[in-house]
Amino acid sequence: MNSTLFLTGFGVYVCFLIWLGWFVSRNQKSGEDFLLGGRGLPLFLVLGTTVATMVGTGSSMGAVGFGYANGWAGALYGIGGAFGILLLALWFAPVRKLNFMTMSEELAYYVGANRIVKNVVGLLIFIASIGWLGAHILGGGMYLAWIADIDLNLAKIIIAAAFTIYVVIGGYTAVVWTDTIQAIILFAGFILMAVMSVNYIGGMDNLYAAMEPAATSFLAIDKLGILPAVSLAVVIGVGVLATPSFRQRIYSGKDVSTIRRSFVASGVLYLFFSIIPAVIGMAALAINPTLDNPNFSFPYIAVSVLPVGVGMIVLIAGLSATMSSASSDAIAGVSILLRDVYVMFTGRVPNKESMMNYSRLALVVVIGFALLFALTSNDIIGYITKMISTVMSGMFVCGMLGKFWKRYNWQGALATLLGASVVSFVVMLNADYTAFWGNPVIPSCLFALVAGVAVSLVTPANQVTPEMAKTILDEERALMEMDISKAGGLGEASSQRPVSQTS
């Protein structure tokens, strides 16, 4: 495909997204409107943005490339993600009633709104958001560089700039509307590519032509080994259950029923979708078994197999996947930065009049940090799995223990978070452990669970009731939307907080 033609089409598409972001968000008036869409998103928007975020960089490039190299194992990414979103619907959709703004509020709530836990989780989630955002910039940049034959780092910068503009203009409302449009393009593009690539090789009978037999077994377990295969699905599921951008869907949805129905529909769709990346990857191997980088399987099929017009649609669908996921993680990162990290270091919240401008400036900062991360790596699946295991497995276990075990306390939460990261590093730094487990997520979660339970049992029980914890967080959150002093101080609310929460 002519690179100039593609870049022109991509430019027109981005201009449309920028216009759409401005149009749907032109009546925004507050920081909550900008960061949470006014907390009134209807079913079709929650469904659209959730599907678009799930069918992101990992599915469009990572999972297809994994299918190229490992056959049906390419479906593990989708299976793990589907179960993750279904469990999120079952277990955590009800937290919408508590009006949280960030995941750090939620995890702190489970242990008495403890300030230390809230601050630590806030920093971890901020790092995780930047990590996810970096993965999307990395995937989109690799994609664009291959198609347009331009420098990889330049391509990453173009991708970051493209979604930065419409998110800075329109905030979360722009994100959910553009995501919904992109979700339609994504599904149409992926399905079209799978059908046409299989037809190109002469049907499903020829799909296994270049595959080694072990890769054609059930989920390629014969090739990967059962534990590494399970570990890959688990790490993606844990990522969904602990990813701030999916929690953002809960906090911004209209009500619990809307969130739950949209998540269940997303999970079912994604479960069926999971086989498509594997099919595309295997078809790419059948057509060209000598690709230098399996991650380029998706754009290779679009450029080499599909008609120009169809290929253009499919390629833009692939870039839509990266941008839709990236924009969601950018907004989640900004929410954490302004609601938690800013307060942590300044002792105050941005005042109401400045919140919109602060949010836009924070978006540029967050995306800038993520771009720096993306400029240092070129391995999508490796990047994602290491980041989830190190940063997010502890938050996953923290959320589960907090939700289902009343004896859990703030000391146990800190032990959970620290233990997960330590074990993840131990596994990653030992080649034998990595080969055995596939990635660190399972030992990381198990150790985090044991550490959290053990430390909670040997330290005093939490004396702050859920009602008291909610009141503490509500007081803090109210300062963000009230007409407070220009300093935005926390003094009065902080003075009313129980002593146990500042220790």
Side-chain angles (χ1 to χ4, degrees):
M1 178 180 295
N2 183 283
S3 61
T4 302
L5 175 64
F6 174 77
L7 288 173
T8 301
F10 179 61
V12 171
Y13 178 67
V14 170
C15 288
F16 166 73
L17 295 181
I18 293 170
W19 172 83
L20 180 64
W22 166 81
F23 181 78
V24 299
S25 63
R26 62 194 187 282
N27 295 321
Q28 287 182 150
K29 297 178 180 179
S30 69
E32 189 168 271
D33 286 343
F34 190 86
L35 295 176
L36 291 171
R39 293 188 188 267
L41 297 183
L43 174 63
F44 83 97
L45 284 180
V46 178
L47 175 60
T49 188
T50 302
V51 169
T53 301
M54 293 190 73
V55 186
T57 305
S59 296
S60 63
M61 290 193 68
V64 173
F66 206 68
Y68 180 96
N70 300 287
W72 287 114
L76 289 168
Y77 192 104
I79 291 171
F83 278 99
I85 199 70
L86 290 172
L87 292 176
L88 198 62
L90 177 65
W91 292 335
F92 292 101
V95 303
R96 171 62 183 87
K97 299 175 182 178
L98 299 173
N99 288 329
F100 297 131
M101 279 191 74
T102 64
M103 192 174 174
S104 56
E105 283 188 346
E106 180 186 334
L107 297 188
Y109 165 81
Y110 294 137
V111 291
N114 181 266
R115 179 69 63 80
I116 298 173
V117 171
K118 183 170 175 290
N119 289 346
V120 171
V121 173
L123 284 174
L124 286 175
I125 293 178
F126 183 61
I127 294 170
S129 295
I130 290 177
W132 276 117
L133 185 52
H136 303 315
I137 294 173
L138 166 61
M142 293 176 66
Y143 199 113
L144 184 60
W146 194 90
I147 299 166
D149 193 25
I150 60 177
D151 177 72
L152 177 58
N153 287 337
L154 174 61
K156 293 175 184 177
I157 293 170
I158 291 173
I159 290 295
F163 69 81
T164 297
I165 296 172
Y166 72 76
V167 178
V168 167
I169 290 172
Y172 193 65
T173 303
V175 168
V176 296
W177 274 98
T178 53
D179 276 2
T180 301
I181 298 296
Q182 291 175 109
I184 298 170
I185 299 173
L186 284 168
F187 262 82
F190 272 84
I191 293 171
L192 194 60
M193 172 174 276
V195 171
M196 296 190 73
S197 60
V198 170
N199 287 338
Y200 185 88
I201 62 174
M204 292 292 291
D205 292 341
N206 297 320
L207 192 63
Y208 298 159
M211 300 297 304
E212 55 183 293
T216 65
S217 62
F218 178 69
L219 298 177
I221 289 175
D222 292 348
K223 180 173 183 179
L224 296 184
I226 189 166
L227 195 55
V230 170
S231 189
L232 177 58
V234 168
V235 77
I236 302 304
V238 166
V240 172
L241 284 160
T243 295
S245 60
F246 287 108
R247 282 302 210 280
Q248 203 84 354
R249 270 76 180 151
I250 295 175
Y251 309 148
S252 63
K254 183 179 180 181
D255 51 42
V256 173
S257 175
T258 296
I259 296 160
R260 184 163 276 161
R261 283 184 291 149
S262 66
F263 278 15
V264 169
S266 299
V268 172
L269 284 172
Y270 200 51
L271 189 60
F272 284 106
F273 175 85
S274 65
I275 66 170
I276 293 178
V279 169
I280 296 172
M282 288 189 287
L285 182 69
I287 296 167
N288 184 357
T290 60
L291 278 180
D292 293 334
N293 188 337
N295 284 324
F296 294 133
S297 302
F298 186 94
Y300 170 78
I301 289 285
V303 171
S304 304
V305 175
L306 304 182
V308 173
V310 176
M312 175 77 79
I313 294 172
V314 169
L315 288 171
I316 289 178
L319 283 174
S320 293
T322 65
M323 292 195 300
S324 63
S325 299
S327 58
S328 299
D329 286 307
I331 286 289
V334 168
S335 297
I336 289 291
L337 180 61
L338 294 181
R339 179 65 183 88
D340 298 314
V341 179
Y342 183 93
V343 174
M344 187 189 315
F345 288 104
T346 66
R348 56 194 176 94
V349 294
N351 60 37
K352 181 178 181 180
E353 292 77 12
S354 302
M355 193 61 185
M356 293 277 282
N357 291 333
Y358 272 70
S359 297
R360 290 189 166 105
L361 177 61
L363 271 168
V364 175
V365 172
V366 167
I367 295 171
F369 274 119
L371 178 59
L372 291 177
F373 272 82
L375 291 173
T376 65
S377 178
N378 291 322
D379 177 15
I380 298 170
I381 291 294
Y383 181 108
I384 290 174
T385 56
K386 290 175 183 177
M387 188 266 297
I388 291 175
S389 301
T390 304
V391 179
M392 303 180 73
S393 56
M395 294 192 295
F396 160 70
V397 176
C398 191
M400 296 298 291
L401 285 174
K403 174 76 174 175
F404 296 109
W405 190 42
K406 300 303 181 185
R407 182 62 176 79
Y408 198 45
N409 61 15
W410 69 268
Q411 296 95 329
L414 293 180
T416 297
L417 298 168
L418 178 63
S421 296
V422 169
V423 171
S424 180
F425 277 118
V426 168
V427 173
M428 285 191 295
L429 293 174
N430 188 298
D432 291 336
Y433 293 165
T434 301
F436 178 77
W437 290 102
N439 66 66
V441 69
I442 292 178
S444 177
C445 287
L446 290 175
F447 188 85
L449 176 65
V450 172
V453 170
V455 172
S456 292
L457 289 175
V458 300
T459 52
N462 175 35
Q463 299 299 315
V464 180
T465 66
E467 292 75 18
M468 292 170 62
K470 183 177 185 303
T471 299
I472 293 168
L473 294 171
D474 285 345
E475 287 177 355
E476 289 185 3
R477 193 182 313 112
L479 292 176
M480 187 170 285
E481 291 301 325
M482 287 171 56
D483 289 319
I484 58 178
S485 67
K486 292 295 182 183
L490 288 171
E492 183 178 350
S494 295
S495 67
Q496 297 174 4
R497 177 172 294 133
V499 174
S500 63
Q501 294 315 302
T502 59
S503 61

